[in-house]
Each structure stands twice: as C-alpha cells, then as structure tokens.
C-alpha cells in the first residue's frame, strides 16, 4: 500500500484543480529512495509506462479509496500540490506467518508538474516499523517521451529491452 501511494502520488496520478492535465502517452519514471533505519539508499532503474487520462483517474480513485486510509489534507499553492494521508494497515499473515502487526502509515508529499513532466517528493513514516522500515523518503521524476508503442495499453510498462509488460 505504501509503495502504491507513494508512486501514484509522485507520478502525477493525484490531481488538483489547478494542476495541468498530464499528456497521454509514454512516460519515463525514475525513483530514488532513502529508507531508515540505516539511511539505505536505492536508485531504481528508469522505466517507462503508458498512461492516459482514464488510467490517471483510475489511479486517483484507487489511492483515495484505499481501505483504512484517510486524506488528512490537500493543498495547492505556489504551483505545488501537497497532501498528507494516514493509513492504518492491519496485520498481514501469509502461510500462517505474521509478516507485520498493525501499522500506522503517514505519508506527506508535494508534487509539481507540467503537462510533460512531474517531480514528486514523499516522506512516509511507519509506526511501528513495517518490514524493518521506520521511515522512507522518495523522489520520483517523470517525463513524457511521446506516443505509446504499438501493442501498449494504459498501465502497461516497457522494459529496457523493448518487452511490453501488460498490467
């Protein structure tokens, strides 16, 4: 849930009345994260995905409708959209093994975007820690590349070798 919220927010899926509509087509996304404890840095490879306005609206509805989550605040000022979301994530059990107990996640983020680029920064805290992570900072940069290749639908991603991965 935290990954979904952070990526959707940072990719520009969340909308505010004053933000420009994102260009439909192929977009690249690069994510940098710092996880604590330990100040562990991760710089993910840039990947590409296909989007359209319906896909963006679907992502927005998914994020705003996540079970156990409430939007604490939303604001648009100075060309930036900011939000704070609080989620209560219930205990996860897989094959009889408890992966984590009930955790409260608080996500605060800002987004600046044009129709062809977006920059998002998100800070997430987990109390108690989830999967050993107490907090995480993410920076996601996205840019428009052009039309989606033939055979790609909104939500599909494009691997560096040209392989299309359908969602």
């Amino acid at each position: 849930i935290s990954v979904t919220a952070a990526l959707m927010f940072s990719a520009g899926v969340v909308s505010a009345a004053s933000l420009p509509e994102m260009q439909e087509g192929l977009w690249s996304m690069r994510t940098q994260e710092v996880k604590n404890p330990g100040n562990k840095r991760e710089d993910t490879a840039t990947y590409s995905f296909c989007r359209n306005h319906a896909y963006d609206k679907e992502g927005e509805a998914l994020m705003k409708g996540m079970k156990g989550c409430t939007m604490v605040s939303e604001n648009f000022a100075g060309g930036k959209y900011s939000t704070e979301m609080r989620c209560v994530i219930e205990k996860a059990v897989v094959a009889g093994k408890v992966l984590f107990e009930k955790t409260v996640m608080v996500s605060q983020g800002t987004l600046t975007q044009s129709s062809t680029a977006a920059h998002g920064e998100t800070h997430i805290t987990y109390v108690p820690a989830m999967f050993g992570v107490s907090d995480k900072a993410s920076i996601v940069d996205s840019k428009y590349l052009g039309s989606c290749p033939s055979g790609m639908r909104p939500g599909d991603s494009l691997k560096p070798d040209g392989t299309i991965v359908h969602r």
Side-chain angles (χ1 to χ4, degrees):
I1 193 168
S2 63
V3 172
T4 301
L7 289 178
M8 293 173 89
F9 177 84
S10 300
V13 171
V14 176
S15 67
S18 299
L19 286 173
E21 199 167 59
M22 306 294 280
Q23 180 72 37
E24 293 183 320
L26 189 66
W27 282 73
S28 69
M29 179 184 287
R30 179 173 176 244
T31 304
Q32 302 169 67
E33 290 185 337
V34 177
K35 295 178 182 177
N36 287 303
N39 204 32
K40 298 173 192 150
R41 296 184 181 278
E42 291 181 26
D43 189 3
T44 64
T46 300
Y47 78 96
S48 302
F49 65 100
C50 188
R51 73 181 325 147
N52 68 7
H53 301 309
Y55 173 76
D56 291 347
K57 293 290 183 198
E58 180 184 326
E60 178 183 347
L62 176 68
M63 188 178 117
K64 289 186 175 184
M66 283 192 277
K67 182 180 176 187
C69 295
T70 56
M71 189 65 72
V72 176
S73 66
E74 289 182 280
N75 186 39
F76 184 78
K80 284 188 178 182
Y81 175 66
S82 61
T83 186
E84 180 176 337
M85 180 180 267
R86 181 180 187 276
C87 299
V88 177
I89 305 165
E90 297 299 328
K91 174 171 66 173
V93 179
V94 175
K97 181 180 177 188
V98 176
L99 298 179
F100 62 85
E101 294 292 336
K102 183 174 176 178
T103 300
V104 175
M105 178 193 89
V106 176
S107 173
Q108 300 171 318
T110 59
L111 173 70
T112 54
Q113 75 179 47
S114 69
S115 63
T116 59
H119 174 82
E121 297 184 17
T122 306
H123 184 258
I124 302 171
T125 58
Y126 305 93
V127 178
M130 188 166 70
F131 299 117
V133 176
S134 60
D135 69 274
K136 174 173 62 173
S138 300
I139 297 172
V140 179
D141 288 298
S142 301
K143 67 180 177 178
Y144 175 70
L145 301 175
S147 298
C148 294
S150 179
M152 280 189 85
R153 297 181 306 270
D156 291 350
S157 59
L158 183 64
K159 294 170 114 179
D161 68 3
T163 304
I164 296 171
V165 178
H166 299 289
R167 74 171 171 148

